[in-house]
Amino acid sequence: MQLNPEQLQAVQYLDGPLLVIAGAGSGKTGVITQKIAHLIKNCGYQAKEITALTFTNKAAGEMKERVREILGRASYGLRVCTFHRLGLDILQREAQSLGLRRGFSIFDQKDGRNLLRDITKSDDNSYLNAISNRISNYKNAGISPDVALEFAKNEDDALIAKIYKEYIKRLLAYNAVDFDDLILLPLQLLREKEKIRNFWQNKIRYTLVDEYQDTNDCQYELTQFLVGNTGMLTAVGDDDQSIYAWRGANTENIKRLVADFPNLKTIKLEQNYRSTPKILNAANTLISHNQHIFEKELWSDKTGGENIRIQAASTEDDEAALIVSEISWQLQLKRANPEDFAVLYRSNYQSRPVEQALRERNIPYTISGGTGFFEHSEIRDLISYLRLANNPEDDTAFLRISNTPKRGIGITTLEKLGEFARRRNSSLIVAAGSLSLEEELGRQEFKALELFANWIQNLNRETLNLLPSEVLQRVINDCEYIEYVEQISTEAQINRRKERINQLQSWIKKLEQDERRNTLDGLMQHLMLLDILDNDEGNKNAVHLMSLHAAKGLEFPQVFIIGAEEQLLPHSNSTVNEQGIEEERRLFYVGITRARENLVITRVKKRKKAGAFEQCEASRFLQELPTDGIDWLDGSREINTEKENQRAKDMFNDLKELFNS
């Protein structure tokens, strides 16, 4: 990688902590990988002494591969991972300090909601989601249940604090943690246990953090404890791309870094290698309306580039037709590939008319954030079996598969078992083996539970001598799971479900070739950390449909941003204060800077809501864009008639040429 002067300075600076303000498309990933290589090749660091942290498995994998290409075998031992993966590594080594046992489970969001449903006795998903979000926010801010209760403003806050306390108690009883615990619990250990803190500070001599503006309070403090007093830290971020406040990200962490490290050096990367000057001018002008921690302005030495187009359609169906016609024209006459195009939107429901229009034209597409591989019922069933075989006290997994396939353990039996376990403060599987339970259930129901519990516990003992793929095959055979799938599925579903099961088996066999994943414990902890968005099942040579949030970190030759309307972009939920508006503006900025060559922004004049059309107002952000470098075809500004007529003429001539060829 040829480094510009600012990039080179960021790579070579080692005199103390460094903050790199890296604008969109400025080559920040290259800077991080080159710095890692520089530390190992020229500065006396061993790969195992360096940790680089990011936010997705995909980003970590790409970064590690780049370093491997530069260093080869010298990169072995390098840790490039997500914050959650590092947290898991710490917990695996220090589990006993927290009262966790071998094979502890990691609860995902659905597991956590099921636990809250059990605690609250509520089936109201909105209520459960609200509590789940509050607990997550408490954990990300490092707030304990007792502190939450002490500062409760009303009875509802006090109730949530009490639910939070019970939630933590149940997790420990189930030998489980949730995703937020993977940051919070290691932080507590580093904060309170000097011996553990010293071990990890000595183990990690240099820390690099990507996307620093996306850190929450716990991640910020975890980083501080890892770095300690050495200041051997490079943080790379961009406050203009902070779009995750809703999940705890705190842009103020960049300011805190300046305060916590008085000798912090700051370097700005402003040269953009991705987009045309016209796209960058629009992005710079838009984001200038926000307050800034650090002023910067993206620039490019590229020349030319098409004007940005802003167009209006009557309805969302017309908007979809407009976009898909443009894509179809480019595919047929400009020799573009489907993967060159991305359609970005604020809310997932906006994709539906575009999907329909693409299907009508037989244009392949893929949707980020759709049903992932691990969300299919047969995959969740089999993974739950593996979870329970690894950790028999995982009550969430027990509840999911104790009667799947049916084995005479009904809902009433499970309810009585749950109540019995609560009275004895035990896990479900321990309660299922208690002889006194028979008096409450009856002989037949008790025997069904006992048989299942004994089978799981035997399987748990055998896992120490079996590969994960062998455990999975044992489950499939013993439960006659394929026969079960054939019984509950339509003819069309059977083959798809069997194929997914085969994919799971092949995938696990491949993973267990790595010695870290050739035990069931190692495999399960790897699996539970998988970022669903990192597992792209779709056709890669396809038009990409995704939310603006999901598009962060990606780039495409041609980008469409749809729905540039008030109440949508900015979203109605974000217009109550200036902070919300600024985050929505950053989201629009992220969308604009995904485009390399061409950018089209569309809106509709009326949108169907609750079965009736409502008039839509153009987004305030459109008025914040510059006048030059943009063709305004939405009626809000004077249209360049000559240019639009020429474009229509070019399209007609292209079509004529196609039909005559």
Side-chain angles (χ1 to χ4, degrees):
M1 176 182 174
Q2 187 68 35
L3 299 173
N4 66 36
E6 292 76 22
Q7 291 173 331
L8 182 61
Q9 186 184 15
V11 166
Q12 295 181 340
Y13 184 79
L14 288 173
D15 293 337
L18 172 66
L19 173 62
V20 181
I21 303 298
S26 63
K28 69 179 178 64
T29 303
V31 166
I32 294 173
T33 54
Q34 290 284 346
K35 183 148 196 173
I36 293 170
H38 176 63
L39 288 167
I40 296 170
K41 286 170 62 178
N42 306 319
C43 304
Y45 285 84
Q46 296 182 52
K48 66 182 181 180
E49 298 173 324
I50 299 169
T51 292
L53 298 171
T54 186
F55 282 84
T56 67
N57 295 314
K58 183 177 181 181
E62 289 176 355
M63 203 176 291
K64 197 165 188 177
E65 184 58 35
R66 285 205 204 183
V67 176
R68 189 179 292 119
E69 288 174 1
I70 299 170
L71 295 178
R73 293 181 63 86
S75 69
Y76 290 0
L78 173 69
R79 186 196 305 272
V80 183
C81 63
T82 64
F83 273 94
H84 290 91
R85 175 71 246 186
L86 175 63
L88 177 57
D89 288 346
I90 295 173
L91 287 186
Q92 285 175 322
R93 185 182 187 278
E94 317 293 352
Q96 286 187 336
S97 299
L98 293 162
L100 292 169
R101 300 180 298 285
R102 183 191 72 82
F104 62 84
S105 296
I106 303 171
F107 277 23
D108 63 15
Q109 194 173 38
K110 287 186 177 179
D111 296 330
R113 267 201 307 268
N114 288 336
L115 182 52
L116 289 172
R117 181 176 287 110
D118 188 41
I119 293 169
T120 62
K121 308 300 182 189
S122 172
D123 287 321
D124 184 338
N125 286 327
S126 296
Y127 176 65
L128 294 172
N129 285 337
I131 294 176
S132 176
N133 290 337
R134 284 285 293 277
I135 290 175
S136 180
N137 289 338
Y138 282 143
K139 288 190 174 188
N140 288 332
I143 298 172
S144 69
D146 290 339
V147 172
L149 185 58
E150 181 182 351
F151 290 95
K153 296 178 180 178
N154 50 50
E155 289 184 5
D156 286 343
D157 286 351
L159 177 60
I160 290 174
K162 291 174 183 175
I163 294 171
Y164 177 22
K165 189 166 189 172
E166 180 64 20
Y167 175 79
I168 291 176
K169 181 181 173 183
R170 296 276 186 99
L171 280 176
L172 187 60
Y174 301 158
N175 194 33
V177 297
D178 64 19
F179 264 36
D180 295 320
D181 286 331
L182 296 179
I183 308 297
L184 179 61
L185 296 180
L187 172 58
Q188 289 176 354
L189 286 172
L190 295 179
R191 184 193 291 142
E192 298 167 7
K193 308 280 187 181
E194 183 179 2
K195 186 176 179 180
I196 293 174
R197 181 167 67 249
N198 289 339
F199 172 84
W200 286 96
Q201 287 180 351
N202 291 330
K203 184 178 178 66
I204 301 174
R205 289 182 57 207
Y206 202 99
T207 304
L208 303 98
V209 182
D210 190 19
E211 304 287 7
Y212 202 78
Q213 76 283 347
D214 291 337
T215 56
N216 60 39
D217 292 344
C218 279
Q219 288 163 338
Y220 177 88
E221 197 174 347
L222 181 68
T223 303
Q224 300 303 92
F225 276 115
L226 290 173
V227 173
N229 296 323
T230 66
M232 291 295 96
L233 167 70
T234 292
V236 182
D238 179 10
D239 52 318
D240 287 336
Q241 296 187 73
S242 179
I243 57 174
Y244 295 117
W246 51 275
R247 68 181 190 196
N250 186 357
T251 313
E252 294 294 308
N253 284 345
I254 292 180
K255 283 184 181 178
R256 290 176 66 187
L257 198 63
V258 176
D260 288 344
F261 291 105
N263 62 333
L264 180 76
K265 183 174 179 63
T266 301
I267 296 172
K268 293 190 225 179
L269 305 183
E270 298 174 287
Q271 183 174 359
N272 177 285
Y273 295 91
R274 176 188 300 159
S275 306
T276 66
K278 291 176 181 178
I279 291 171
L280 295 181
N281 183 42
N284 287 330
T285 305
L286 172 74
I287 207 64
S288 68
H289 290 81
N290 271 12
Q291 303 249 348
H292 286 84
I293 300 172
F294 294 96
E295 293 294 337
K296 71 175 186 308
E297 185 163 333
L298 299 177
W299 63 275
S300 172
D301 58 8
K302 291 183 178 181
T303 57
E306 292 286 329
N307 277 8
I308 296 169
R309 296 205 318 276
I310 297 178
Q311 297 186 246
S314 295
T315 67
E316 53 260 59
D317 289 336
D318 294 330
E319 181 182 48
L322 178 113
I323 290 165
V324 174
S325 293
E326 170 81 12
I327 292 173
S328 180
W329 173 56
Q330 296 272 5
L331 292 176
Q332 293 182 53
L333 302 167
K334 299 295 183 182
R335 297 190 176 181
N337 295 312
E339 64 186 340
D340 294 339
F341 300 91
V343 181
L344 311 181
Y345 35 80
R346 179 61 178 85
S347 298
N348 287 323
Y349 72 84
Q350 292 175 257
S351 71
R352 293 170 196 157
V354 181
E355 289 180 68
Q356 183 175 337
L358 287 167
R359 285 197 298 268
E360 289 172 356
R361 297 283 188 111
N362 292 318
I363 297 174
Y365 66 90
T366 184
I367 304 177
S368 293
T371 301
F373 180 74
F374 295 103
E375 296 299 300
H376 292 288
S377 61
E378 62 277 8
I379 302 303
R380 287 187 70 84
D381 285 347
L382 293 174
I383 294 300
S384 293
Y385 270 109
L386 295 183
R387 281 173 54 176
L388 199 57
N390 186 55
N391 174 18
E393 296 188 355
D394 186 337
D395 281 6
T396 298
F398 185 101
L399 289 170
R400 179 176 180 90
I401 48 85
S402 56
N403 203 40
T404 304
K406 292 188 182 304
R407 48 177 64 92
I409 304 173
I411 293 176
T412 302
T413 300
L414 288 173
E415 287 177 348
K416 290 180 179 178
L417 173 65
E419 181 57 36
F420 182 87
R422 275 191 291 277
R423 291 201 307 269
R424 283 162 173 72
N425 195 27
S426 73
S427 64
L428 295 177
I429 201 158
V430 170
S434 174
L435 293 176
S436 56
L437 177 65
E438 184 177 354
E439 299 173 9
E440 299 190 21
L441 287 182
R443 180 76 177 164
Q444 186 174 348
E445 290 81 0
F446 174 74
K447 278 298 179 186
L449 272 174
E450 185 183 43
L451 188 64
F452 175 68
N454 288 340
W455 176 71
I456 288 293
Q457 288 170 333
N458 288 334
L459 188 61
N460 171 253
R461 286 188 286 270
E462 293 172 11
T463 59
L464 296 174
N465 301 312
L466 295 174
L467 290 169
S469 58
E470 294 171 332
V471 179
L472 177 60
Q473 191 61 58
R474 180 77 61 83
V475 166
I476 291 171
N477 292 343
D478 288 1
C479 297
E480 300 182 340
Y481 192 81
I482 299 299
E483 292 82 352
Y484 164 71
V485 164
E486 291 172 342
Q487 291 170 8
I488 65 168
S489 308
T490 65
E491 190 172 340
Q493 291 173 333
I494 288 174
N495 287 336
R496 287 199 297 271
R497 287 179 168 172
K498 284 184 178 180
E499 183 180 350
R500 282 194 285 266
I501 292 170
N502 289 335
Q503 286 175 347
L504 179 65
Q505 290 176 297
S506 300
W507 181 71
I508 287 177
K509 285 180 181 178
K510 183 178 179 181
L511 283 179
E512 67 191 16
Q513 294 173 12
D514 185 328
E515 62 179 13
R516 295 171 301 173
R517 299 162 192 155
N518 64 5
T519 65
L520 188 57
D521 187 20
L523 174 78
M524 294 314 299
Q525 293 183 341
H526 169 76
L527 190 151
M528 292 307 295
L529 280 182
L530 279 177
D531 183 342
I532 296 302
L533 289 178
D534 290 348
N535 296 284
D536 183 8
E537 299 177 81
N539 181 354
K540 290 189 175 180
N541 189 19
V543 176
H544 300 269
L545 308 184
M546 66 183 69
S547 70
L548 287 160
H549 284 100
K552 188 164 178 286
L554 304 177
E555 57 181 76
F556 307 92
Q558 310 207 48
V559 170
F560 297 87
I561 301 176
I562 66 176
E565 302 143 31
E566 287 293 302
Q567 306 303 306
L568 198 49
L569 184 63
H571 196 277
S572 57
N573 292 342
S574 303
T575 56
V576 293
N577 55 47
E578 190 57 33
Q579 288 79 13
I581 293 294
E582 289 203 347
E583 173 132 341
E584 292 291 296
R585 189 179 284 115
R586 291 193 292 268
L587 190 58
F588 192 26
Y589 172 86
V590 165
I592 290 172
T593 54
R594 299 312 94 196
R596 294 209 301 259
E597 299 164 12
N598 294 315
L599 173 64
V600 178
I601 302 170
T602 64
R603 66 179 180 88
V604 305
K605 296 176 181 177
K606 56 184 179 179
R607 189 174 291 276
K608 186 171 284 189
K609 295 179 183 178
F613 282 105
E614 292 184 8
Q615 294 298 314
C616 299
E617 182 183 351
S619 170
R620 69 189 75 186
F621 298 148
L622 295 181
Q623 297 305 313
E624 295 174 357
L625 295 175
T627 54
D628 56 320
I630 297 180
D631 293 334
W632 297 87
L633 308 175
D634 68 334
S636 63
R637 301 192 189 183
E638 186 177 349
I639 297 175
N640 186 334
T641 307
E642 181 180 344
K643 183 153 190 165
E644 187 57 20
N645 287 342
Q646 183 61 47
R647 177 176 173 76
K649 187 176 180 181
D650 289 344
M651 289 181 69
F652 177 77
N653 288 336
D654 286 339
L655 286 168
K656 186 176 177 183
E657 183 179 334
L658 177 68
F659 288 127
N660 290 335
S661 61

